[in-house]
Amino acid sequence: MSKPALVFDPVTAIGFIGQTVLVELRWDDDNEMLWRCYHVVGVVLPVPGVFEEGYFLTMPFDGSEDLPVEVYFDSINTLRVVRDRHATGKVLDRLPLPPLFQGHAKEGECSHA
């Protein structure tokens, strides 16, 4: 049974602007969780009867996008502000990696993430 999505009131959502966050994403039709690190650069608040879905405008921490990416409130399972620049690596080191990334280097080979 999946945990309900987080609910963001306007003051809380706006308070994340300018923060670096570690986000656990999930979708109703997928049991797999996805962890991502973003810089929150904006927020679009839901307006009942006009626009029902709120979301954060984010820039991926790794700089992989030139324009902000939408992270909808209803897909966020967990959201944590990163205060220590090494915290993201500490948390991600504890997460189980998919088999695709768990290869072992053979003797004489280098293994890079």
Side-chain angles (χ1 to χ4, degrees), residues 87-99:
T88 305
K90 292 175 188 174
V91 171
L92 293 176
D93 281 344
R94 291 188 219 130
L95 296 175
L97 295 175

Side-chain angles (χ1 to χ4, degrees), residues 26-37:
R26 61 113 182 103
W27 292 268
D28 290 334
D29 57 343
D30 192 356
N31 291 332
E32 203 169 319
M33 302 293 180
L34 184 67
W35 287 91
R36 292 289 184 260
C37 191

Side-chain angles (χ1 to χ4, degrees), residues 11-24:
V11 173
T12 302
I14 291 169
F16 284 106
I17 295 174
Q19 301 290 327
T20 300
V21 295
L22 184 62
V23 182
E24 179 187 31

Side-chain angles (χ1 to χ4, degrees), residues 59-100:
M59 294 300 292
F61 186 73
D62 64 2
S64 61
E65 298 287 333
D66 293 331
L67 297 172
V69 175
E70 299 162 349
V71 177
Y72 284 84
F73 297 161
D74 66 352
S75 64
I76 298 173
N77 198 49
T78 305
L79 185 136
R80 299 282 184 253
V81 173
V82 177
R83 298 196 193 314
D84 172 4
R85 66 184 181 129
H86 300 292
T88 305
K90 292 175 188 174
V91 171
L92 293 176
D93 281 344
R94 291 188 219 130
L95 296 175
L97 295 175
L100 177 65

